[in-house]
Amino acid sequence: MKKLGFGLMRLPLNDPDDVKNINKEEARRMVDAFLAAGYTYFDTAYPYHRGASEKLFGELVADRYPRESYFLTSKMPVWLINAPEDYDFIFNKQLDRTHAGYFDNYFLHAMGKSRMESVAETGGFEWIKRKKEEGLIKHIGFSYHDKAEILDRFLTEHPEFEVVQLQLNYADWDSETVEAHKCYGVCVKHGKPVVVMEPVKGGSLARVPESVLSLMKEENPEASAASWAFRFAASLPDVCMILSGMSNMEQLEENIALFDDIEPLNEKEQAVIKKSVKILNDSVAVKCTSCRYCTEGCPQNIAIPDYFSLYNSMKLYGYVPSMSTMFTNLIAEHGKPSDCIECGQCEAACPQHLSIIENLVKVKEAFETE
């Protein structure tokens, strides 16, 4: 299977303020071009375009193409589950929307420590195995947003899961919050193939600063900034699929041209990526080094460096929906930024002499407001 997957979460719109109002004619042209080029992997989910994504897939793909001509992934929104019977209710609605008959891949959506616990409590792990036994799911997996240590423990306890979807790109590779490198390593350790989401970090790595773009153009004048991000992901041997949330025909055609003959980054290009990441990191809003001296005596157990890492990512690249999931994971285990009592012990311990209290207020305003 060719490694480019069509992510159906950023489809073309007739009205930019109405995510359900999809431009069906443009989407039809894109779907047809994608399949005509020999690509088959589609990725959707229950909440994408507020439910319109799965329905559109049914109309444009399942109703118009043989079942064996495409590979469909969808996901269970585990945060909506309050009782065991909710799984079947949502799953049956997805089957009805997509007209696919079964799912080739089916994932538990946006998993992390707290959601793993809630899925266990509501019988979700037994449920998804049962659906596979019934033939309604061919391969089970989950998309993941949390620490590598938790992922390792989960895969050890649940070896039945066959594939993991990770947020993976060169900007997040060594991130203290995303831990993309470490999470990828855990999947390799457990022999689980990786589906990559956010390879271009919500489009932000297609809009890199001029200083970074100049480095890339000096090495490869014809390559777009986005192509560097895709090739970084494609350089990893245990990556089986790379998703792109394509919004117009131009993006789709550019991606097809790239993936038809995609090559891993060579040694010189990997060096350019390292320099680019350093430039990006030097531009951060809060120059925290994640030494964690500030957290050792915090009476509110606030994960200060993790919040700053998330805030820096938002300021540098713009808001990406997965950031809300990461913030939710943090507050499930730690105090919120708004829990700060301004005792000042963190600032006394900080070797960088950062204004931690002031910056926590900025994080609170960014992530604790509606």
Side-chain angles (χ1 to χ4, degrees):
M1 190 186 299
K2 294 184 176 183
K3 284 193 176 182
L4 174 63
F6 197 155
L8 303 177
M9 69 175 295
R10 296 186 178 97
L11 291 165
L13 300 175
N14 291 312
D15 179 356
D17 295 322
D18 182 2
V19 296
K20 295 188 71 172
N21 190 357
I22 300 168
N23 184 332
K24 289 187 180 181
E25 186 54 40
E26 177 74 355
R28 181 195 301 270
R29 291 175 58 235
M30 293 171 69
V31 162
D32 289 348
F34 185 76
L35 288 163
Y39 294 85
T40 59
Y41 191 104
F42 292 90
D43 175 273
T44 185
Y46 187 78
Y48 290 176
H49 287 272
R50 296 183 183 171
S53 174
E54 290 179 327
K55 184 177 179 181
L56 189 78
F57 176 88
E59 294 177 12
L60 298 188
V61 181
D63 289 352
R64 300 171 60 236
Y65 288 92
R67 183 61 182 86
E68 65 274 12
S69 66
Y70 62 85
F71 189 104
L72 177 61
T73 296
S74 197
K75 310 175 191 77
M76 172 61 65
V78 296
W79 59 91
L80 296 180
I81 301 299
N82 297 307
E85 56 269 22
D86 293 342
Y87 288 106
D88 271 337
F89 176 80
I90 291 174
F91 186 78
N92 291 335
K93 184 181 286 189
Q94 292 175 292
L95 286 174
D96 183 61
R97 285 174 175 174
T98 61
H99 304 171
Y102 63 88
F103 296 105
D104 298 283
N105 278 348
Y106 193 80
F107 296 160
L108 301 175
H109 198 173
M111 292 290 279
K113 184 175 183 294
S114 62
R115 286 178 179 168
M116 289 170 180
E117 293 169 351
S118 66
V119 170
E121 291 172 0
T122 53
F125 299 128
E126 293 77 15
W127 174 85
I128 197 170
K129 287 189 287 185
R130 188 166 62 251
K131 289 301 169 185
K132 182 182 177 183
E133 292 167 358
E134 293 171 0
L136 295 174
I137 300 170
K138 300 302 181 184
H139 305 283
I140 61 174
F142 57 95
S143 62
Y144 186 74
H145 297 282
D146 212 331
K147 299 296 184 181
E149 178 185 2
I150 297 167
L151 177 61
D152 190 15
R153 186 165 63 246
F154 180 77
L155 287 175
T156 300
E157 295 172 354
H158 291 278
E160 68 272 17
F161 284 95
E162 301 164 88
V163 60
V164 181
Q165 185 164 307
L166 293 177
Q167 178 174 324
L168 197 158
N169 55 69
Y170 66 77
D172 289 326
W173 189 242
D174 291 316
S175 165
E176 293 287 337
T177 304
V178 181
E179 292 193 348
H181 188 180
K182 293 179 181 178
C183 287
Y184 173 77
V186 168
C187 292
V188 173
K189 169 186 170 183
H190 289 272
K192 308 299 180 183
V194 172
V195 174
V196 173
M197 58 182 162
E198 303 293 358
V200 194
K201 202 171 175 66
S204 59
L205 296 182
R207 306 182 300 271
V208 293
E210 186 60 37
S211 54
V212 172
L213 186 60
S214 296
L215 274 178
M216 293 175 171
K217 291 296 184 183
E218 183 179 343
E219 181 62 31
N220 190 336
E222 302 302 319
S224 67
S227 72
W228 283 79
F230 283 124
R231 289 179 60 213
F232 175 85
S235 300
L236 300 166
D238 287 79
V239 165
C240 66
M241 186 59 56
I242 301 170
L243 303 179
S244 178
M246 297 172 280
S247 302
N248 55 58
M249 184 61 77
E250 181 183 0
Q251 291 175 357
L252 185 138
E253 290 174 343
E254 180 182 344
N255 288 349
I256 286 175
L258 173 66
F259 276 83
D260 275 348
D261 192 27
I262 196 164
E263 295 181 357
L265 296 173
N266 60 38
E267 192 171 325
K268 289 180 66 178
E269 290 169 328
Q270 291 283 7
V272 170
I273 289 293
K274 288 183 179 180
K275 290 179 183 177
S276 300
V277 171
K278 186 177 187 308
I279 292 172
L280 293 171
N281 288 340
D282 287 345
S283 305
V284 298
V286 184
K287 299 192 181 299
C288 172
T289 64
S290 295
C291 68
R292 312 196 80 84
Y293 294 162
C294 58
T295 63
E296 293 176 5
C298 177
Q300 300 296 90
N301 188 32
I302 300 172
I304 296 167
D306 303 288
Y307 289 127
F308 286 168
S309 175
L310 193 57
Y311 179 75
N312 283 335
S313 186
M314 187 197 72
K315 297 297 287 185
L316 191 58
Y317 303 110
Y319 174 77
V320 176
S322 59
M323 293 176 180
S324 292
T325 302
M326 295 173 196
F327 185 76
T328 300
N329 290 339
L330 285 171
I331 63 176
E333 300 290 324
H334 304 278
K336 301 188 297 294
S338 60
D339 291 334
C340 175
I341 59 174
E342 301 185 8
C343 66
Q345 79 80 30
C346 55
E347 295 189 356
C350 178
Q352 308 303 320
H353 307 292
L354 299 177
S355 299
I356 293 176
I357 295 170
E358 178 182 328
N359 283 310
L360 280 175
V361 172
K362 295 177 181 177
V363 179
K364 179 193 75 173
E365 292 172 349
F367 289 100
E368 292 191 53
T369 58
E370 185 175 350

